[in-house]
Amino acid sequence: MRLPKTLAAIVLTAALPLAGCAQAGTEQPAPSPSSTATSKPAALSVTVQKLLEVDRAHPDKVAATFADIITRWDVANDRTETAAAVRAQPLMIPELAKRTVEPERNASQALWLELAPLGAFSEPTIRPGVPVDGDEGTDTENVAYRNLTATWTWRDADGKHLKDDQRKRNIFLVLTKSNGVWSVADYVTEDLPA
């Protein structure tokens, strides 16, 4: 699917500040072939690739991509878990994107401190969600409700397995369709008992 110009601009606007830029007049050395062969996939580059590939005409694909992005962290660059949600803003309606900001304090600070020296990053697995109490909502032509579960593995800077995170996160999403494009209108996450 080809992205509308507005969405492409949003993706680039979100990506550029996160990617970092060289100062004018400074020359950046080219990466050596050996360093790029073993380097980890940056959360930002994976996110941008997923944003460009997602088929916005299908709520299931938008929901799965969103769940993947918000559980994909790079502890060397992400100050909080919410940094991943900020990267997912192009999949949100404008009101939700505006409300999605990083908190001052990282709720996962202990884990970040443990994994940061290793250059760790998470690699999520997204599956159908665990049923929740109450009415999850009934899909209509312009509103869809999705419930997904994320688990993830932590890898070091070279991509080697560090450990499986014992958490299992339920992600409940409300998506809305406008002009044939599905977006996340709201979401709630909850860590489930191990």
Side-chain angles (χ1 to χ4, degrees):
M1 177 181 157
R2 191 172 172 150
L3 286 176
K5 288 181 183 179
T6 305
L7 180 58
I10 291 170
V11 169
L12 289 175
T13 302
L16 290 176
L18 296 169
C21 300
Q23 291 181 344
T26 62
E27 194 171 311
Q28 298 295 315
S32 69
S34 62
S35 69
T36 57
T38 59
S39 65
K40 66 181 175 182
L44 175 62
S45 64
V46 171
T47 298
V48 169
Q49 186 65 32
K50 287 183 174 293
L51 288 170
L52 293 174
E53 292 175 351
V54 67
D55 184 351
R56 300 291 297 270
H58 299 282
D60 291 333
K61 293 178 181 181
V62 173
T65 299
F66 184 83
D68 180 275
I69 291 171
I70 68 170
T71 54
R72 189 173 292 277
W73 305 287
D74 176 350
V75 297
N77 295 307
D78 293 339
R79 196 172 53 84
T80 68
E81 284 189 4
T82 309
V86 169
R87 284 191 292 274
Q89 286 175 333
L91 294 178
M92 300 175 190
I93 63 170
E95 296 82 3
L96 179 59
K98 191 183 292 188
R99 292 192 322 259
T100 305
V101 295
E102 281 194 81
E104 290 297 317
R105 187 170 173 274
N106 186 358
S108 298
Q109 188 64 35
L111 181 63
W112 252 235
L113 290 173
E114 173 192 344
L115 297 173
L118 305 171
F121 62 96
S122 66
E123 189 171 271
T125 300
I126 308 300
R127 294 191 171 93
V130 175
V132 293
D133 294 335
D135 183 20
E136 293 184 22
T138 302
D139 288 359
T140 66
E141 184 179 333
N142 294 314
V143 178
Y145 301 89
R146 296 297 180 265
N147 189 10
L148 301 169
T149 299
T151 56
W152 52 91
T153 298
W154 289 101
R155 299 194 178 276
D156 70 9
D158 293 326
K160 294 178 188 162
H161 180 270
L162 287 172
K163 69 180 193 174
D164 294 322
D165 200 303
Q166 298 306 307
R167 293 177 289 174
K168 183 182 218 179
R169 185 161 292 171
N170 205 46
I171 305 167
F172 181 73
L173 302 113
V174 180
L175 299 103
T176 57
K177 183 169 73 170
S178 177
N179 297 321
V181 174
W182 287 94
S183 300
V184 176
D186 204 0
Y187 73 101
V188 175
T189 64
E190 177 187 19
D191 284 351
L192 303 169

PDB file of all heavy atoms in Angstrom, residues 128-140 143-148 170-175:
ATOM      1  N   PRO A 128      -2.879 -13.287  19.733  1.00  0.00           N
ATOM      2  CA  PRO A 128      -4.227 -12.890  20.166  1.00  0.00           C
ATOM      3  C   PRO A 128      -4.251 -12.676  21.669  1.00  0.00           C
ATOM      4  O   PRO A 128      -3.548 -13.352  22.421  1.00  0.00           O
ATOM      5  CB  PRO A 128      -5.102 -14.076  19.761  1.00  0.00           C
ATOM      6  CG  PRO A 128      -4.350 -14.726  18.637  1.00  0.00           C
ATOM      7  CD  PRO A 128      -2.897 -14.531  18.977  1.00  0.00           C
ATOM      8  N   GLY A 129      -5.068 -11.726  22.112  1.00  0.00           N
ATOM      9  CA  GLY A 129      -5.093 -11.337  23.505  1.00  0.00           C
ATOM     10  C   GLY A 129      -5.855 -12.261  24.421  1.00  0.00           C
ATOM     11  O   GLY A 129      -6.599 -13.135  23.991  1.00  0.00           O
ATOM     12  N   VAL A 130      -5.638 -12.025  25.698  1.00  0.00           N
ATOM     13  CA  VAL A 130      -6.338 -12.741  26.750  1.00  0.00           C
ATOM     14  C   VAL A 130      -7.683 -12.047  26.945  1.00  0.00           C
ATOM     15  O   VAL A 130      -7.720 -10.822  27.073  1.00  0.00           O
ATOM     16  CB  VAL A 130      -5.509 -12.693  28.055  1.00  0.00           C
ATOM     17  CG1 VAL A 130      -6.261 -13.331  29.193  1.00  0.00           C
ATOM     18  CG2 VAL A 130      -4.155 -13.356  27.840  1.00  0.00           C
ATOM     19  N   PRO A 131      -8.789 -12.785  26.937  1.00  0.00           N
ATOM     20  CA  PRO A 131     -10.092 -12.142  27.117  1.00  0.00           C
ATOM     21  C   PRO A 131     -10.143 -11.333  28.411  1.00  0.00           C
ATOM     22  O   PRO A 131      -9.572 -11.723  29.423  1.00  0.00           O
ATOM     23  CB  PRO A 131     -11.074 -13.312  27.176  1.00  0.00           C
ATOM     24  CG  PRO A 131     -10.353 -14.444  26.528  1.00  0.00           C
ATOM     25  CD  PRO A 131      -8.896 -14.219  26.801  1.00  0.00           C
ATOM     26  N   VAL A 132     -10.794 -10.187  28.335  1.00  0.00           N
ATOM     27  CA  VAL A 132     -10.943  -9.339  29.518  1.00  0.00           C
ATOM     28  C   VAL A 132     -12.398  -9.347  29.944  1.00  0.00           C
ATOM     29  O   VAL A 132     -13.292  -9.671  29.163  1.00  0.00           O
ATOM     30  CB  VAL A 132     -10.475  -7.885  29.241  1.00  0.00           C
ATOM     31  CG1 VAL A 132      -8.995  -7.825  28.999  1.00  0.00           C
ATOM     32  CG2 VAL A 132     -11.220  -7.279  28.075  1.00  0.00           C
ATOM     33  N   ASP A 133     -12.623  -9.011  31.211  1.00  0.00           N
ATOM     34  CA  ASP A 133     -13.988  -8.958  31.733  1.00  0.00           C
ATOM     35  C   ASP A 133     -14.758  -7.845  31.043  1.00  0.00           C
ATOM     36  O   ASP A 133     -14.219  -6.807  30.691  1.00  0.00           O
ATOM     37  CB  ASP A 133     -13.983  -8.707  33.241  1.00  0.00           C
ATOM     38  CG  ASP A 133     -13.373  -9.870  33.999  1.00  0.00           C
ATOM     39  OD1 ASP A 133     -13.408 -10.994  33.473  1.00  0.00           O
ATOM     40  OD2 ASP A 133     -12.844  -9.651  35.106  1.00  0.00           O
ATOM     41  N   GLY A 134     -16.032  -8.069  30.882  1.00  0.00           N
ATOM     42  CA  GLY A 134     -16.891  -7.016  30.335  1.00  0.00           C
ATOM     43  C   GLY A 134     -16.982  -7.073  28.829  1.00  0.00           C
ATOM     44  O   GLY A 134     -16.460  -7.953  28.162  1.00  0.00           O
ATOM     45  N   ASP A 135     -17.642  -6.092  28.315  1.00  0.00           N
ATOM     46  CA  ASP A 135     -17.890  -5.998  26.882  1.00  0.00           C
ATOM     47  C   ASP A 135     -16.687  -5.374  26.193  1.00  0.00           C
ATOM     48  O   ASP A 135     -16.283  -4.261  26.504  1.00  0.00           O
ATOM     49  CB  ASP A 135     -19.143  -5.139  26.655  1.00  0.00           C
ATOM     50  CG  ASP A 135     -19.516  -5.047  25.192  1.00  0.00           C
ATOM     51  OD1 ASP A 135     -19.077  -5.919  24.413  1.00  0.00           O
ATOM     52  OD2 ASP A 135     -20.243  -4.107  24.832  1.00  0.00           O
ATOM     53  N   GLU A 136     -16.089  -6.117  25.268  1.00  0.00           N
ATOM     54  CA  GLU A 136     -14.938  -5.606  24.528  1.00  0.00           C
ATOM     55  C   GLU A 136     -15.353  -4.751  23.357  1.00  0.00           C
ATOM     56  O   GLU A 136     -14.518  -4.165  22.689  1.00  0.00           O
ATOM     57  CB  GLU A 136     -14.056  -6.765  24.051  1.00  0.00           C
ATOM     58  CG  GLU A 136     -13.394  -7.507  25.181  1.00  0.00           C
ATOM     59  CD  GLU A 136     -12.465  -8.588  24.681  1.00  0.00           C
ATOM     60  OE1 GLU A 136     -12.013  -8.531  23.530  1.00  0.00           O
ATOM     61  OE2 GLU A 136     -12.187  -9.493  25.458  1.00  0.00           O
ATOM     62  N   GLY A 137     -16.615  -4.698  23.071  1.00  0.00           N
ATOM     63  CA  GLY A 137     -17.093  -3.898  21.962  1.00  0.00           C
ATOM     64  C   GLY A 137     -17.362  -4.739  20.738  1.00  0.00           C
ATOM     65  O   GLY A 137     -16.752  -5.777  20.529  1.00  0.00           O
ATOM     66  N   THR A 138     -18.271  -4.286  19.943  1.00  0.00           N
ATOM     67  CA  THR A 138     -18.624  -4.957  18.698  1.00  0.00           C
ATOM     68  C   THR A 138     -18.187  -4.055  17.547  1.00  0.00           C
ATOM     69  O   THR A 138     -18.500  -2.870  17.529  1.00  0.00           O
ATOM     70  CB  THR A 138     -20.149  -5.189  18.640  1.00  0.00           C
ATOM     71  OG1 THR A 138     -20.536  -5.955  19.782  1.00  0.00           O
ATOM     72  CG2 THR A 138     -20.539  -5.937  17.381  1.00  0.00           C
ATOM     73  N   ASP A 139     -17.469  -4.646  16.607  1.00  0.00           N
ATOM     74  CA  ASP A 139     -16.990  -3.879  15.461  1.00  0.00           C
ATOM     75  C   ASP A 139     -18.154  -3.301  14.670  1.00  0.00           C
ATOM     76  O   ASP A 139     -19.214  -3.917  14.548  1.00  0.00           O
ATOM     77  CB  ASP A 139     -16.161  -4.756  14.532  1.00  0.00           C
ATOM     78  CG  ASP A 139     -14.802  -5.108  15.107  1.00  0.00           C
ATOM     79  OD1 ASP A 139     -14.478  -4.663  16.217  1.00  0.00           O
ATOM     80  OD2 ASP A 139     -14.061  -5.843  14.421  1.00  0.00           O
ATOM     81  N   THR A 140     -17.932  -2.107  14.137  1.00  0.00           N
ATOM     82  CA  THR A 140     -18.869  -1.474  13.211  1.00  0.00           C
ATOM     83  C   THR A 140     -18.072  -1.140  11.950  1.00  0.00           C
ATOM     84  O   THR A 140     -16.888  -1.476  11.844  1.00  0.00           O
ATOM     85  CB  THR A 140     -19.481  -0.190  13.810  1.00  0.00           C
ATOM     86  OG1 THR A 140     -18.445   0.792  13.958  1.00  0.00           O
ATOM     87  CG2 THR A 140     -20.158  -0.458  15.143  1.00  0.00           C
ATOM     88  N   VAL A 143     -15.453   1.493  13.458  1.00  0.00           N
ATOM     89  CA  VAL A 143     -14.814   1.277  14.760  1.00  0.00           C
ATOM     90  C   VAL A 143     -14.493  -0.204  14.900  1.00  0.00           C
ATOM     91  O   VAL A 143     -15.331  -1.056  14.586  1.00  0.00           O
ATOM     92  CB  VAL A 143     -15.725   1.728  15.928  1.00  0.00           C
ATOM     93  CG1 VAL A 143     -15.053   1.459  17.271  1.00  0.00           C
ATOM     94  CG2 VAL A 143     -16.079   3.203  15.808  1.00  0.00           C
ATOM     95  N   ALA A 144     -13.283  -0.508  15.348  1.00  0.00           N
ATOM     96  CA  ALA A 144     -12.871  -1.901  15.568  1.00  0.00           C
ATOM     97  C   ALA A 144     -12.195  -2.012  16.921  1.00  0.00           C
ATOM     98  O   ALA A 144     -11.492  -1.094  17.355  1.00  0.00           O
ATOM     99  CB  ALA A 144     -11.924  -2.344  14.453  1.00  0.00           C
ATOM    100  N   TYR A 145     -12.413  -3.140  17.573  1.00  0.00           N
ATOM    101  CA  TYR A 145     -11.824  -3.419  18.883  1.00  0.00           C
ATOM    102  C   TYR A 145     -10.905  -4.627  18.731  1.00  0.00           C
ATOM    103  O   TYR A 145     -11.313  -5.644  18.183  1.00  0.00           O
ATOM    104  CB  TYR A 145     -12.930  -3.725  19.903  1.00  0.00           C
ATOM    105  CG  TYR A 145     -13.916  -2.597  20.052  1.00  0.00           C
ATOM    106  CD1 TYR A 145     -15.042  -2.522  19.227  1.00  0.00           C
ATOM    107  CD2 TYR A 145     -13.713  -1.599  20.994  1.00  0.00           C
ATOM    108  CE1 TYR A 145     -15.949  -1.480  19.346  1.00  0.00           C
ATOM    109  CE2 TYR A 145     -14.617  -0.548  21.110  1.00  0.00           C
ATOM    110  CZ  TYR A 145     -15.732  -0.501  20.292  1.00  0.00           C
ATOM    111  OH  TYR A 145     -16.621   0.531  20.409  1.00  0.00           O
ATOM    112  N   ARG A 146      -9.685  -4.506  19.211  1.00  0.00           N
ATOM    113  CA  ARG A 146      -8.738  -5.611  19.117  1.00  0.00           C
ATOM    114  C   ARG A 146      -8.062  -5.805  20.470  1.00  0.00           C
ATOM    115  O   ARG A 146      -7.753  -4.843  21.181  1.00  0.00           O
ATOM    116  CB  ARG A 146      -7.669  -5.352  18.037  1.00  0.00           C
ATOM    117  CG  ARG A 146      -8.233  -5.265  16.626  1.00  0.00           C
ATOM    118  CD  ARG A 146      -8.862  -6.578  16.197  1.00  0.00           C
ATOM    119  NE  ARG A 146      -9.411  -6.529  14.860  1.00  0.00           N
ATOM    120  CZ  ARG A 146     -10.686  -6.268  14.567  1.00  0.00           C
ATOM    121  NH1 ARG A 146     -11.554  -5.976  15.525  1.00  0.00           N
ATOM    122  NH2 ARG A 146     -11.104  -6.284  13.318  1.00  0.00           N
ATOM    123  N   ASN A 147      -7.815  -7.073  20.783  1.00  0.00           N
ATOM    124  CA  ASN A 147      -7.169  -7.445  22.036  1.00  0.00           C
ATOM    125  C   ASN A 147      -5.989  -8.346  21.683  1.00  0.00           C
ATOM    126  O   ASN A 147      -6.181  -9.423  21.110  1.00  0.00           O
ATOM    127  CB  ASN A 147      -8.189  -8.162  22.930  1.00  0.00           C
ATOM    128  CG  ASN A 147      -7.672  -8.389  24.325  1.00  0.00           C
ATOM    129  OD1 ASN A 147      -6.639  -7.862  24.704  1.00  0.00           O
ATOM    130  ND2 ASN A 147      -8.391  -9.189  25.086  1.00  0.00           N
ATOM    131  N   LEU A 148      -4.781  -7.898  21.992  1.00  0.00           N
ATOM    132  CA  LEU A 148      -3.567  -8.640  21.657  1.00  0.00           C
ATOM    133  C   LEU A 148      -2.720  -8.833  22.913  1.00  0.00           C
ATOM    134  O   LEU A 148      -2.858  -8.100  23.894  1.00  0.00           O
ATOM    135  CB  LEU A 148      -2.762  -7.876  20.593  1.00  0.00           C
ATOM    136  CG  LEU A 148      -3.503  -7.605  19.291  1.00  0.00           C
ATOM    137  CD1 LEU A 148      -2.729  -6.617  18.433  1.00  0.00           C
ATOM    138  CD2 LEU A 148      -3.744  -8.896  18.528  1.00  0.00           C
ATOM    139  N   ASN A 170      -1.095  -7.517  28.028  1.00  0.00           N
ATOM    140  CA  ASN A 170      -2.340  -7.473  27.274  1.00  0.00           C
ATOM    141  C   ASN A 170      -2.491  -6.052  26.719  1.00  0.00           C
ATOM    142  O   ASN A 170      -2.259  -5.075  27.431  1.00  0.00           O
ATOM    143  CB  ASN A 170      -3.519  -7.834  28.184  1.00  0.00           C
ATOM    144  CG  ASN A 170      -4.680  -8.394  27.418  1.00  0.00           C
ATOM    145  OD1 ASN A 170      -4.499  -9.256  26.568  1.00  0.00           O
ATOM    146  ND2 ASN A 170      -5.866  -7.921  27.719  1.00  0.00           N
ATOM    147  N   ILE A 171      -2.850  -5.949  25.457  1.00  0.00           N
ATOM    148  CA  ILE A 171      -3.001  -4.652  24.794  1.00  0.00           C
ATOM    149  C   ILE A 171      -4.395  -4.611  24.166  1.00  0.00           C
ATOM    150  O   ILE A 171      -4.676  -5.369  23.238  1.00  0.00           O
ATOM    151  CB  ILE A 171      -1.915  -4.445  23.721  1.00  0.00           C
ATOM    152  CG1 ILE A 171      -0.521  -4.616  24.333  1.00  0.00           C
ATOM    153  CG2 ILE A 171      -2.070  -3.083  23.057  1.00  0.00           C
ATOM    154  CD1 ILE A 171       0.591  -4.746  23.320  1.00  0.00           C
ATOM    155  N   PHE A 172      -5.249  -3.764  24.714  1.00  0.00           N
ATOM    156  CA  PHE A 172      -6.610  -3.614  24.196  1.00  0.00           C
ATOM    157  C   PHE A 172      -6.657  -2.318  23.400  1.00  0.00           C
ATOM    158  O   PHE A 172      -6.290  -1.253  23.907  1.00  0.00           O
ATOM    159  CB  PHE A 172      -7.627  -3.579  25.336  1.00  0.00           C
ATOM    160  CG  PHE A 172      -9.038  -3.443  24.855  1.00  0.00           C
ATOM    161  CD1 PHE A 172      -9.687  -4.510  24.251  1.00  0.00           C
ATOM    162  CD2 PHE A 172      -9.722  -2.243  24.972  1.00  0.00           C
ATOM    163  CE1 PHE A 172     -10.988  -4.387  23.792  1.00  0.00           C
ATOM    164  CE2 PHE A 172     -11.019  -2.099  24.521  1.00  0.00           C
ATOM    165  CZ  PHE A 172     -11.652  -3.182  23.927  1.00  0.00           C
ATOM    166  N   LEU A 173      -7.084  -2.405  22.146  1.00  0.00           N
ATOM    167  CA  LEU A 173      -7.077  -1.252  21.250  1.00  0.00           C
ATOM    168  C   LEU A 173      -8.470  -0.943  20.711  1.00  0.00           C
ATOM    169  O   LEU A 173      -9.241  -1.858  20.430  1.00  0.00           O
ATOM    170  CB  LEU A 173      -6.174  -1.523  20.046  1.00  0.00           C
ATOM    171  CG  LEU A 173      -4.725  -1.845  20.349  1.00  0.00           C
ATOM    172  CD1 LEU A 173      -4.433  -3.272  19.984  1.00  0.00           C
ATOM    173  CD2 LEU A 173      -3.829  -0.913  19.603  1.00  0.00           C
ATOM    174  N   VAL A 174      -8.729   0.338  20.544  1.00  0.00           N
ATOM    175  CA  VAL A 174      -9.906   0.820  19.838  1.00  0.00           C
ATOM    176  C   VAL A 174      -9.376   1.538  18.602  1.00  0.00           C
ATOM    177  O   VAL A 174      -8.551   2.449  18.714  1.00  0.00           O
ATOM    178  CB  VAL A 174     -10.741   1.790  20.704  1.00  0.00           C
ATOM    179  CG1 VAL A 174     -11.957   2.277  19.917  1.00  0.00           C
ATOM    180  CG2 VAL A 174     -11.159   1.137  22.013  1.00  0.00           C
ATOM    181  N   LEU A 175      -9.827   1.090  17.441  1.00  0.00           N
ATOM    182  CA  LEU A 175      -9.388   1.685  16.184  1.00  0.00           C
ATOM    183  C   LEU A 175     -10.575   2.335  15.492  1.00  0.00           C
ATOM    184  O   LEU A 175     -11.704   1.858  15.609  1.00  0.00           O
ATOM    185  CB  LEU A 175      -8.785   0.619  15.264  1.00  0.00           C
ATOM    186  CG  LEU A 175      -7.554  -0.097  15.831  1.00  0.00           C
ATOM    187  CD1 LEU A 175      -7.937  -1.470  16.322  1.00  0.00           C
ATOM    188  CD2 LEU A 175      -6.464  -0.168  14.801  1.00  0.00           C
TER     189      LEU A 175
END
